[in-house]
Structure formats: C-alpha cells, structure tokens
Amino acid sequence: MDLNAVRTFVAAADTGQFQEAAAVLSITQQAVSKRIAALEKYLDVRLFARTARGAQLTIDGQAFLPHARELLRVAERADASVRPGRRALRVDIVARRIAPAGLLQDFHRMHPDIELDLITLDADVTAAIAAIEAGTIDATFHAVPLHQHLPKMISTARVLDEPHQLLVGPRHPLANAVAVTPSQLAGHRIWMPGLPSRGEVADYYAELTTTFEFTIDALGPVFAKEALLEEIADSADLATLVGEGTRYLWPDSYDLRRIPLHNPTPVYPMSIIWRDDNQHPALTTLRDYLDSTRACAPDTEVWTPAWTAAHPAHTAASR
C-alpha cells in the first residue's frame, strides 16, 4: 500500500477539500486526485463522494480512516526506530552496577533530552565488537587488548581507568587499613565467584594475580551480589575486589569496608567502542562527554596489564 496515498487520503478527509489537502501536502490538486484514485483502485472501493461542498467520506472511507491514521503512526514509529537522531542511542553498559552505568547516568543528567536505551550484553570484547559491527548496538565499553582484531570501520577510545578497591568485612585482618598494596593480598582469600574463565576480564585478572603473586578463588555457586556481600560481612577471611565506581548497597549492620589499593594502583582500562560510520548525533555527544570527563587513578603510580592499548585512540585504521 502506497503510504503517500494513505497520507493524502487522511489529509483530504481532515480538510474536506482536495484543494486544501494539496496545500497541506505542498502538491498539486491533480496529484491529490491521482493518489486518491490509485488508493481507491487498490482497495476496490470508493473512499470519497465528490459534492459541490467538497469531498465527503463514503461509508467505506469512514471505515478506512482510523486504520489509515494507524498506518501512518506505525510508519512514523518505524522510521524513528532507525533514523539517526530520532531513535534512542543504544549502549551496552556491560553491567548495571559498574562504572559505565554511572558514566551514562551522569551523561543523562547533563543531556536529559537524549533518549538512551541501555542494555547489558553477556559478551566479551570480541562478541561486543561483533554487535557493534552488525549495528545491534551503537556503543559498548570494554578493555581492548593491543592484539584485539578490529574490523574495518570499528574504533575505540580509552575513556576510563578504574582503580580497584578491596572489599572486606569488619573482622577481616585488613579491615582497619587505610590502604593496601596489591602484594599484601598474597595469602588472603580473594573470592570472586563467577569470574569469567576467558576473555579480556579473565586475562586482566590472570596477569594481575601473576604480577603480584596472589590468587583469586572463583569457585562456588553464583548467587546475587547481595549474597556475596552477606558472606563477606560474616567472614573473618573472605575479601573481594571491586571497582571504585562499582555501586553496591548493603545494610549498615554489615559494616563492610572499601579499602583503596595503592603502590601501585591496579586500574581496569575501559574503552568505548563504536562504528566510524554511525551517524547518530548523540553518539558524538557521548564521546565528547567521555573525553571531557575521562577519569584516571588518583595517584601517578598505576598498574595496567601489558596487553592494554597504550594510547587513548585505538582504531583499525591506525593498526
């Protein structure tokens, strides 16, 4: 069905005059007549009765009118769903409690007029890049190794170096420390159930533990984060690692302690990933915002894995 003919039919029905419909649509009266005639031929009914007072809807025209309006509304929604600047910017924030979620919340506060569609892909950097390449999402946040294959038109930019903290309960031996070094974690049970066994997250923690000679216990069933926090609060030896921007809430009775890691500060290097040919204007706004608010570790002595991209920009073209 020709949507232009449907739009012309609705305009003629609303104005009651082909001439006025032509003026509304900025076309000739002859074009209006041709479109209506073509629509009537397609539907095999008469939609208007021509009278001296103008164009009057027939019974069939009255029956078709609400459906015609709905057709135009659906067409408008379909157009808005894919047209850059008219659909929501679709961003993978990886998880809703970690730093990218906080960054996007701050961005939304500064740009409340930009519609966001925030999702959490269960994917490593390779799968996330594939989603960007396929156009499933507009942007995602991941650590990008130097050896990572970047398809044509895919670019990344380092936007966040997130410091790590040690999370312990009040009876843990390190509970009253102002700060600890990564080497001090040796001999302590660092419990991170569900830690990925492959991908950039697994690679990051493998190099971190090897460098500072401590181990991470990733065994055990994975319940909600609230269950992990409860276990740590009740334990005298359990601890876990969290990002500085990770947002957890717990009862005051838990008395959990977030202890910074210093000398050096391990940071998880996170980049935004996007397609160069993505024309959504909000994507440029988001990238500019992230460039202006790029967060780094609080001191100059930091640790990042050797496989991390050393430069803020990491593109297929540059490689």
Side-chain angles (χ1 to χ4, degrees), residues 209-251:
T209 54
T210 299
T211 301
F212 297 105
E213 300 180 333
F214 69 93
T215 60
I216 290 177
D217 179 3
L219 300 178
V222 181
F223 299 108
K225 290 297 183 184
E226 287 74 13
L228 173 65
L229 299 179
E230 182 179 13
E231 291 286 341
I232 291 174
D234 289 340
S235 174
D237 65 341
L238 285 181
T240 194
L241 294 174
V242 297
E244 184 180 70
T246 300
R247 299 183 292 186
Y248 289 144
L249 296 176
W250 55 79

Side-chain angles (χ1 to χ4, degrees), residues 12-34:
D14 289 343
T15 61
Q17 298 279 346
F18 281 16
Q19 184 176 359
E20 291 187 26
V24 169
L25 299 172
S26 299
I27 59 178
T28 66
Q29 184 174 340
Q30 183 181 18
V32 170
S33 298
K34 286 184 177 181

Side-chain angles (χ1 to χ4, degrees), residues 137-202:
I137 53 177
D138 294 302
T140 185
F141 292 88
H142 281 272
V144 182
L146 280 170
H147 58 75
Q148 180 66 45
H149 169 67
L150 294 179
K152 184 178 180 180
M153 301 302 293
I154 299 296
S155 291
T156 79
R158 186 100 151 252
V159 293
L160 174 66
D161 289 344
E162 185 182 19
H164 270 80
Q165 296 176 335
L166 185 69
L167 184 66
V168 299
R171 296 189 294 123
H172 193 277
L174 298 175
N176 295 318
V178 176
V180 297
T181 67
S183 297
Q184 285 180 274
L185 301 181
H188 293 282
R189 187 183 175 195
I190 310 301
W191 192 38
M192 301 179 71
L195 186 70
S197 59
R198 60 172 59 185
E200 76 276 12
V201 174

Side-chain angles (χ1 to χ4, degrees), residues 112-125:
D113 55 315
I114 293 179
E115 186 178 358
L116 296 174
D117 181 10
L118 304 182
I119 65 169
T120 54
L121 289 180
D122 184 14
D124 62 11
V125 63

Side-chain angles (χ1 to χ4, degrees), residues 94-114:
V94 184
R96 298 193 182 276
R97 292 181 176 178
I98 65 174
L103 284 174
L104 267 293
Q105 184 177 6
D106 292 340
F107 173 75
H108 178 63
R109 290 193 183 108
M110 291 193 65
H111 301 277
D113 55 315
I114 293 179

